[in-house]
């Protein structure tokens, strides 16, 4: 399974997500803001543990990080 997450209004951003014993840094990149519209900074992963971590984070619950696409 592959998932792509996005952060709108950012060209790049590093999310720092706390775990029980550590901090995980997730790098979003490739975003743009032009006169024609916006493209979110994105992060793509096939790692199910990272997907679960992102989807359980406060950034995801507050909709700062959004799921753009999930493929099987």
């Amino acid at each position: 399974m592959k998932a792509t997450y996005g952060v709108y209004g950012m060209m790049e951003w590093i999310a720092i997500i706390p775990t029980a014993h550590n901090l995980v840094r997730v790098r979003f990149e490739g975003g743009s803001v032009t006169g024609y519209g916006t493209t979110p900074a994105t992060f793509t992963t096939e790692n199910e543990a990272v997907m679960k971590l992102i989807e359980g984070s406060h950034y995801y619950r507050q909709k700062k990080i959004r799921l753009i696409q999930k493929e099987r």
Side-chain angles (χ1 to χ4, degrees):
M1 184 179 296
K2 185 182 203 180
T4 300
Y5 299 92
V7 179
Y8 286 86
M10 301 277 210
M11 291 194 284
E12 60 181 57
W13 179 59
I14 299 174
I16 299 174
I17 302 173
T19 66
H21 302 288
N22 213 344
L23 295 174
V24 175
R25 290 168 178 80
V26 180
R27 179 180 291 273
F28 292 82
E29 52 193 5
S32 66
V33 179
T34 68
Y36 297 104
T38 63
T39 302
T42 60
F43 172 77
T44 302
T45 185
E46 293 183 9
N47 187 322
E48 302 256 345
V50 173
M51 289 180 213
K52 187 173 181 177
L53 179 73
I54 290 172
E55 293 175 15
S57 74
H58 68 280
Y59 294 120
Y60 191 81
R61 287 192 303 272
Q62 294 174 352
K63 298 189 193 279
K64 178 157 179 111
I65 297 174
R66 298 185 183 194
L67 179 64
I68 294 177
Q69 184 177 10
K70 205 172 224 183
E71 302 172 1
R72 293 190 192 270

